[in-house]
């Protein structure tokens, strides 16, 4: 069965389209055409009615690769070679190949990698993917800098957790895969290479462009004071060079997915390295999901432009998105373009409205005004414009190259429900719970029954403080008129005051005699849908791994189970500590088996999302869709949903651990449907009745 195509908003319905894309945190651009007069004007044709050609400029561009971790992981055979299997190409290779092919044309003297080269440091196959992609640049003689992100080191300790441990000097260097795959010996192949520090994790390069020299200082995850001292010595040894400081972490992004947010690690670097080094005029980092820009003023009254960019939690693990930074020395501008060279390579029938080759939001494509000579005058009074050898803006040329022959995918208009019955009715529906009918804000009393549309499997709110639960009150579940714009159910229930540490939670469950308890869906596939909204005050210390829905029992009691967390239930439909949607199930098979999972990217709190999990009846591949877009991390060959017994209930809004109630939901749930077949998107709850 072909993968169901997601329903997405038409280009003319830009508001709805933008809302759906923002749910993936990246704020991916709407499907509207590039507007003239924006931060980056649309690519145009013709000669402007005979207008004189623009004068040539002095300009060059730097290519930037944000976190490539999922590209490295999901191109491996261990992850079913998902990119090659679905698209016939791989994004990491497509990125470096595009730079290699266009470096001369676009005057790209250098490429910067922001770290998290791989996702799982101990998997050599992932390093091999990265090795192959970066070799493309080496063969083409395009120099690059690279650094280790937190996923690239064996001991990943966050600065906020422990500022003094987990640094470069506290590692067994001989054991670190990063130093084996991207050694100092390999770095020396770059014509721009200057030196690495004594640990081998930090390096600097000097490149020349338009008759001027720049220094790129790349610092890997968790630099020590000794590493900072080395970095300062490098700057001191090159007193006239403008410095671009590259880290894996420095600047973060606020919950609005647009505004910059300073990190404690970034503040430390500012105090110890940046503020009193006037040569550092620009910083780049990844790690935090999205894009943001912050201008700070150093001790000399000069601007330092800090920028974060990371697309790993966007569609397809980033969808090949990268950046080009054009330094227009003639017009005193840094022009920033976010684009994907991979999207135009994908088969046309695989494209949907998440497949954008060029992003246009202000935090992804923008200009920075900078008078280079004036900014660098204190340490390099002879800095010049260079020769005007470039015909026109390199950013505009790059856009034209990327968009040549590419047509944005046609999308299907989605509209809100006309009434509460406006959704496709599916004969194979096993259970469909719709949470509405009470007074807005009123408590859902314990024992209250939630009807199943099929009539077979009603839910009821369990009594308070059963099992190990402490402190639950009647008002911990309330009725709400709030709902997803595409849900026909005109309401939801809100789960309040949940705290996994107390533990305090409330939930709904099926009766022990409900027919759904015995069903395993092993032969015909299945579709599970839910509308959820994570509470805006969600806190991972209280709500990590909260459950949307589970089946009762300990999966370790299933015959043949040999996986991790045997205390968990056999089905987990949950929200992780990173606000990712987790669908992890034990298949209904004989012999050895373990939990098999699909994962979304990060979900924005206080925003409704529709989740669909579709299990193919033939291949038993499971695909999760968030707001219509298939996620990258899916599982294959997972037939059915194991159950412990015909009396083990399904639970909505809660779960269990080692047989005790645990991990209650915090937020709102609108409606949940379980269907005994793999549904295309035209039959999901987001569609309308015929």
């Amino acid at each position: 069965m072909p993968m169901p195509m997601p329903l997405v908003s038409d280009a003319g319905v830009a508001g709805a389209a933008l809302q759906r894309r923002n749910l993936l945190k990246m704020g991916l651009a709407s499907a509207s055409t590039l507007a003239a007069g924006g931060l980056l004007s649309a690519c145009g044709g013709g000669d402007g009615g005979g207008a004189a050609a623009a004068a040539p400029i002095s300009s060059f561009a730097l290519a930037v690769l944000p976190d490539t971790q999922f590209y490295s992981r999901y191109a491996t055979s261990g992850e079913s070679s998902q990119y090659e299997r679905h698209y016939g190409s791989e994004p990491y290779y497509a990125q470096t190949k595009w730079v290699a092919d266009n470096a001369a044309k676009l005057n790209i003297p250098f490429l910067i990698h922001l770290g998290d080269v791989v996702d799982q440091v101990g998997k050599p196959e992932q390093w091999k993917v990265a090795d192959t992609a970066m070799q493309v640049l080496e063969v083409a003689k395009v120099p690059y800098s690279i650094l280790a992100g937190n996923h690239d080191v064996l001991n990943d300790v966050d600065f906020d957790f422990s500022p003094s441990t987990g640094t470069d000097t506290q590692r067994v260097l001989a054991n670190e895969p990063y130093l084996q795959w991207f050694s100092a010996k390999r770095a020396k192949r770059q014509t721009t290479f200057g030196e690495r520090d004594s640990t081998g994790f930090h390096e600097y390069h000097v490149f020349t462009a338009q008759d001027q020299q720049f220094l790129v200082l790349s610092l890997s995850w968790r630099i020590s004071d000794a590493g900072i001292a080395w970095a300062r010595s490098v700057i001191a040894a090159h007193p006239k060079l403008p410095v671009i400081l590259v880290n894996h972490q420095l600047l973060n992004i606020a919950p609005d997915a647009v505004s910059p947010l300073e990190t404690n690690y970034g503040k430390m670097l500012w105090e110890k390295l940046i503020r009193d080094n006037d040569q550092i005029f620009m910083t780049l980092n990844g790690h935090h999901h999205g894009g943001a820009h912050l201008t700070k003023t150093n001790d000399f009254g000069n601007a330092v432009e800090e920028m974060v960019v990371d697309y790993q939690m966007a569609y397809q693990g980033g969808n090949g998105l990268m950046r080009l930074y054009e330094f227009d020395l003639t017009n005193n501008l840094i022009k920033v373009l976010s684009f994907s060279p991979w999207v135009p390579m994908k088969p046309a029938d695989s494209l949907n409205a998440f497949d954008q080759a060029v992003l246009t939001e202000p935090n992804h494509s923008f200009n920075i005004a900078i008078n280079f000579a004036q900014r660098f005058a204190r340490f390099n009074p002879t800095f010049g414009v260079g020769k005007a050898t470039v015909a026109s803006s390199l950013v505009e040329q790059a856009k034209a190259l990327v968009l040549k022959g590419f047509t944005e995918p046609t999308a299907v208009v989605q509209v809100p429900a006309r009434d509460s019955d406006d959704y496709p009715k599916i004969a194979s529906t096993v259970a469909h719970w719709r949470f509405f009918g009470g007074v807005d804000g009123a408590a859902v009393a314990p024992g209250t029954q939630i009807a199943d549309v099929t009539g077979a499997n009603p839910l009821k709110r369990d009594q308070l403080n059963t099992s190990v639960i402490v402190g639950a009150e009647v008002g911990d579940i309330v009725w709400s008129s709030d709902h997803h714009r595409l849900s026909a159910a005109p309401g939801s229930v809100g789960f309040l005051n949940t705290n996994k540490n107390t533990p305090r939670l409330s939930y709904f469950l099926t009766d022990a005699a409900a027919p759904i308890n015995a069903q395993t869906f092993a032969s015909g596939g299945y579709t599970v849908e839910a509308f959820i909204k994570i509470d805006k005050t969600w806190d991972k210390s209280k709500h990590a791994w909260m459950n949307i829905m589970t089946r009762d029992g300990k999966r370790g009691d299933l015959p043949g189970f040999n996986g991790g967390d045997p205390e968990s239930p056999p089905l987990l439909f949950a929200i992780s500590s990173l606000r990712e949607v987790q669908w992890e199930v034990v298949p209904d098979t004989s012999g050895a088996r373990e939990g098999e999972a699909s994962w979304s990217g990060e979900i924005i709190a206080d925003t409704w999302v529709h989740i669909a999990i579709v299990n193919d009846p033939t291949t038993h591949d499971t695909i999760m869709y968030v707001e219509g877009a298939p996620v990258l991390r899916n599982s294959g060959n997972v037939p059915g949903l194991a159950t412990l017994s015909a009396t083990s209930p399904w639970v909505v809004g809660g779960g269990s651990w080692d047989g005790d109630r645990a991990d209650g939901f915090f937020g709102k749930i609108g409606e949940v449907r379980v269907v005994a077949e793999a549904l295309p998107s035209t039959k999901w709850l987001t569609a309308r009745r015929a």
Side-chain angles (χ1 to χ4, degrees):
M1 173 179 164
M3 184 171 66
M5 289 303 298
L7 290 173
V8 291
S9 297
D10 184 69
V13 192
L18 182 58
Q19 176 190 25
R20 303 188 66 228
R21 295 175 189 124
N22 281 341
L23 297 172
L24 298 184
K25 177 98 178 182
M26 297 304 95
L28 297 181
S30 69
S32 58
T33 56
L34 301 175
L39 287 173
L40 293 170
S41 61
C43 297
D47 59 7
I57 59 175
S58 177
S59 189
F60 68 92
L62 296 181
V64 174
L65 289 185
D67 307 41
T68 55
Q69 62 191 75
F70 290 148
Y71 306 151
S72 295
R73 178 173 178 175
Y74 292 100
T76 64
S77 60
E79 299 287 353
S80 302
S81 303
Q82 291 196 35
Y83 293 120
E84 185 68 35
R85 188 156 55 96
H86 291 300
Y87 304 106
S89 59
E90 298 173 3
Y92 198 166
Y93 185 88
Q95 289 175 321
T96 55
K97 183 68 163 58
W98 187 89
V99 173
D101 289 346
N102 294 288
K105 187 181 304 182
L106 296 174
N107 201 19
I108 301 173
F110 197 76
L111 176 141
I112 294 170
H113 197 303
L114 300 182
D116 274 359
V117 181
V118 300
D119 190 45
Q120 295 169 304
V121 64
K123 298 291 183 71
E125 195 179 5
Q126 295 181 29
W127 287 105
K128 184 60 180 175
V129 172
D131 171 68
T132 300
M134 299 308 285
Q135 277 188 39
V136 172
L137 298 172
E138 294 168 0
V139 171
K141 307 297 184 185
V142 178
Y144 65 86
S145 64
I146 195 164
L147 58 86
N150 57 301
H151 282 260
D152 302 322
V153 297
L154 291 173
N155 187 23
D156 171 11
V157 180
D158 192 271
F159 180 82
D160 288 340
F161 177 77
S162 178
S164 60
T165 62
T167 67
D168 47 30
T169 59
Q170 296 163 321
R171 299 172 188 148
V172 180
L173 302 181
N175 295 341
E176 292 288 343
Y178 174 80
L179 298 180
Q180 297 162 20
W181 286 91
F182 291 93
S183 64
K185 182 179 179 180
R186 181 171 186 170
K188 290 176 183 177
R189 300 176 193 170
Q190 315 302 318
T191 58
T192 55
F193 178 73
E195 183 185 66
R196 283 201 177 181
D197 77 315
S198 60
T199 70
F201 275 105
H202 318 301
E203 65 184 41
Y204 81 87
H205 294 254
V206 176
F207 70 86
T208 302
Q210 301 306 102
D211 303 320
Q212 304 301 324
Q213 286 189 319
F214 292 80
L215 189 149
V216 174
L217 187 56
S218 285
L219 308 181
S220 287
W221 179 257
R222 294 303 313 281
I223 195 166
S224 61
D225 285 343
I228 291 176
W230 172 84
R232 295 184 70 91
S233 73
V234 168
I235 297 172
H238 301 82
K240 291 188 175 182
L241 298 191
V243 176
I244 299 170
L245 181 66
V246 186
N247 290 267
H248 184 59
Q249 182 191 32
L250 195 153
L251 186 65
N252 196 357
I253 305 142
D256 64 7
V258 175
S259 304
L261 180 67
E262 293 195 84
T263 66
N264 290 329
Y265 188 68
K267 291 176 182 177
M268 180 274 290
L269 289 172
W270 177 262
E271 294 298 326
K272 292 187 175 183
L273 179 61
I274 302 170
R275 67 179 301 163
D276 66 343
N277 268 307
D278 195 28
Q279 292 168 247
I280 301 174
F281 72 98
M282 174 176 167
T283 73
L284 297 172
N285 70 274
H287 189 61
H288 298 290
H289 312 144
H293 170 217
L294 174 67
T295 302
K296 297 191 72 173
T297 303
N298 66 16
D299 288 351
F300 306 93
N302 287 324
V304 179
E305 309 296 344
E306 297 185 348
M307 282 162 280
V308 53
V309 56
D310 173 15
Y311 295 114
Q312 65 173 287
M313 287 302 181
Y315 177 56
Q316 294 296 309
N319 219 20
L321 287 163
M322 57 182 293
R323 276 199 175 171
L324 206 65
Y325 283 80
E326 178 182 2
F327 289 70
D328 184 342
L329 303 181
T330 298
N331 295 300
N332 287 314
L333 289 173
I334 297 175
K335 301 176 182 178
V336 184
L337 174 69
S338 298
F339 68 102
S340 171
W342 185 54
V343 165
M345 294 173 57
K346 297 166 78 172
D349 61 1
S350 74
L351 299 175
N352 57 59
F354 294 93
D355 284 307
Q356 282 206 284
V358 173
L359 305 187
T360 58
E361 280 84 359
N363 57 323
H364 295 294
S365 291
F366 53 93
N367 292 344
I368 301 171
I370 173 172
N371 186 316
F372 294 99
Q374 181 177 310
R375 173 62 180 83
F376 304 154
R378 183 181 168 276
F379 57 87
N380 187 352
T382 63
F383 187 92
V385 173
K387 297 177 181 178
T389 57
V390 177
S392 61
S393 169
L394 296 171
V395 155
E396 294 301 323
Q397 291 186 52
K399 280 201 297 183
L401 285 170
V402 171
L403 295 172
K404 184 178 180 180
F406 176 72
T407 303
E408 293 249 344
T410 302
V412 178
V413 176
Q414 283 186 297
V415 296
R418 293 162 288 187
D419 53 55
S420 63
D421 198 44
D422 192 7
Y423 65 93
K425 311 303 187 296
I426 307 300
S428 59
T429 299
V430 175
H432 185 186
W433 301 300
R434 313 182 81 203
F435 298 92
F436 69 94
V439 177
D440 202 31
V444 180
T448 298
Q449 183 168 288
I450 304 298
D452 171 14
V453 172
T454 74
N457 301 287
L459 292 172
K460 68 175 180 181
R461 181 180 176 185
D462 202 9
Q463 298 304 309
L464 301 178
N465 299 311
T466 63
S467 183
V468 297
I469 300 172
V470 176
E473 298 180 2
V474 172
D476 287 351
I477 302 182
V478 298
W479 297 104
S480 174
S481 58
D482 191 19
H483 62 284
H484 190 288
R485 62 177 290 274
L486 296 178
S487 172
S492 60
V493 286
F495 297 80
L496 311 177
N497 306 312
T498 304
N499 188 330
K500 67 184 300 173
N501 304 306
T502 310
R504 180 176 180 176
L505 67 146
S506 292
Y507 53 90
F508 298 89
L509 75 171
T510 58
D511 293 332
I516 193 174
N517 298 343
Q519 294 197 239
T520 61
F521 307 91
S523 59
Y526 59 82
T527 302
V528 175
E529 294 181 79
F531 294 97
I532 69 160
K533 185 178 187 179
I534 299 171
D535 193 274
K536 63 183 177 181
T537 61
W538 184 92
D539 182 338
K540 69 179 180 181
S541 68
K542 297 178 181 179
H543 310 119
W545 306 106
M546 66 184 190
N547 287 289
I548 301 166
M549 183 170 70
T550 59
R551 302 184 82 160
D552 261 354
K554 295 188 292 183
R555 64 187 187 179
D557 293 338
L558 291 167
F561 183 82
N562 63 355
D565 295 333
E567 303 89 348
S568 291
L571 181 155
L572 287 163
F573 190 8
I575 303 295
S576 79
S577 59
L578 299 176
R579 289 213 308 264
E580 304 157 314
V581 180
Q582 173 196 28
W583 173 261
E584 183 169 333
V585 301
V586 179
D588 184 42
T589 56
S590 60
R593 51 183 170 166
E594 59 182 344
E596 304 286 350
S598 296
W599 297 88
S600 79
E602 184 178 358
I603 302 299
I604 295 179
D606 200 33
T607 304
W608 278 103
V609 294
H610 171 258
I611 305 162
I613 296 113
V614 182
N615 181 264
D616 186 278
T618 304
T619 65
H620 298 298
D621 289 347
T622 303
I623 299 176
M624 179 194 298
Y625 298 82
V626 177
E627 288 296 295
V631 304
L632 175 62
R633 297 181 287 173
N634 286 300
S635 51
N637 191 25
V638 188
L641 306 172
T643 183
L644 270 297
S645 74
T647 59
S648 298
W650 290 61
V651 185
V652 174
S656 61
W657 176 261
D658 203 16
D660 293 327
R661 283 279 167 247
D663 298 321
F665 191 77
F666 183 55
K668 294 173 181 173
I669 297 178
E671 55 181 323
V672 178
R673 185 168 73 170
V674 182
V675 178
E677 66 175 292
L679 297 179
S681 58
T682 53
K683 295 184 179 180
W684 292 349
L685 292 171
T686 51
R688 306 282 68 97
R689 64 175 180 259

